[in-house]
Amino acid sequence: MTRLTFVRGDITEAPVDAVVNAANSSLLGGGGVDGAIHRKGGTEILAACRDLRASRYGRGLPTGQAVATTAGRLPARWVIHTVGPVWQPDEDRSGLLASCYRESLRVADELGAATIAFPAISTGVYGWPIDDGARIAVQTVRATPTSVTEVRFTLFSEVAYEAFVTYE
Ligand code: AR6
């Protein structure tokens, strides 16, 4: 049984086995959650991302996929990097957003992570409307078979938190 929990806060402080990073394909950092994770987690995470770019993901991590690295100095053991789709008003890219949640859970299962924290992927710089992003996140996690025991949605703003708890 997977328990879904909803908290307001900073994902870099989440007391979980794995935190999910809303990354970009380069895996080399950026703003938002990505910036916060690299800043607090330290250079070990970036070094692991560079190794991935030099090996399995020479052309970058495709949208909708996920890959794990060390979490460096974060309380978590692993960071699972995933690349959300950029919001396009004239194109339905929700399958790719759902894929981020599904693939992150698959990677968590491979790692043996029991607890995982998700941010609201794509709802910041990538412009996805928060209500729709929250619906896709919660519905996808509920529909995905996993050995993870707790999925903790960690929402930075009150608006995001309110959007997510609607689907509790
Ligand atoms: N903890 C939890 N949530 C956060 C935090 C935090 N520390 N900081 C921001 N959020 P975003 P995206 C929320 O922009 O839309 C980066 O530059 C934020 O309020 O981090 O997937 C990457 O490198 C929003 O609700 O990710 C990519 O280039 C949510 O996290 C691009 O942004 C996601 O916002 C990815 O854009």
Side-chain angles (χ1 to χ4, degrees):
M1 226 356 226
T2 308
R3 197 158 61 99
L4 273 59
T5 57
F6 301 82
V7 298
R8 231 197 113 172
D10 180 344
I11 203 164
T12 62
E13 291 166 11
V16 289
D17 295 331
V19 296
V20 175
N21 181 18
N24 59 61
S25 286
S26 82
L27 291 175
L28 301 178
V33 181
D34 200 8
I37 284 176
H38 281 284
R39 221 168 21 249
K40 286 215 192 158
T43 53
E44 232 189 304
I45 301 175
L46 187 58
C49 287
R50 286 195 202 284
D51 286 347
L52 286 169
R53 286 301 308 275
S55 54
R56 233 171 113 187
Y57 295 107
R59 303 176 67 180
L61 180 66
T63 304
Q65 294 190 25
V67 67
T69 65
T70 172
R73 292 197 302 264
L74 298 181
R77 253 180 98 180
W78 299 285
V79 173
I80 298 174
H81 307 263
T82 190
V83 182
V86 175
W87 167 256
Q88 298 284 359
D90 52 359
E91 185 191 329
D92 182 9
R93 310 192 79 197
S94 52
L96 285 168
L97 184 55
S99 174
C100 290
Y101 289 94
R102 243 185 344 257
E103 288 298 303
S104 296
L105 287 172
R106 192 180 58 72
V107 170
D109 282 343
E110 277 174 14
L111 294 167
T115 56
I116 183 173
F118 278 106
I121 299 165
S122 287
T123 67
V125 174
Y126 282 179
W128 207 285
I130 187 67
D131 288 325
D132 199 52
R135 179 186 62 77
I136 292 167
V138 177
Q139 288 180 355
T140 303
V141 168
R142 281 221 176 91
T144 304
T146 172
S147 304
V148 168
T149 56
E150 183 188 352
V151 172
R152 178 187 286 243
F153 291 105
T154 305
L155 295 324
F156 207 48
S157 70
E158 184 63 30
V159 169
Y161 175 80
E162 292 301 334
F164 270 72
V165 293
T166 308
Y167 298 99
E168 193 170 2

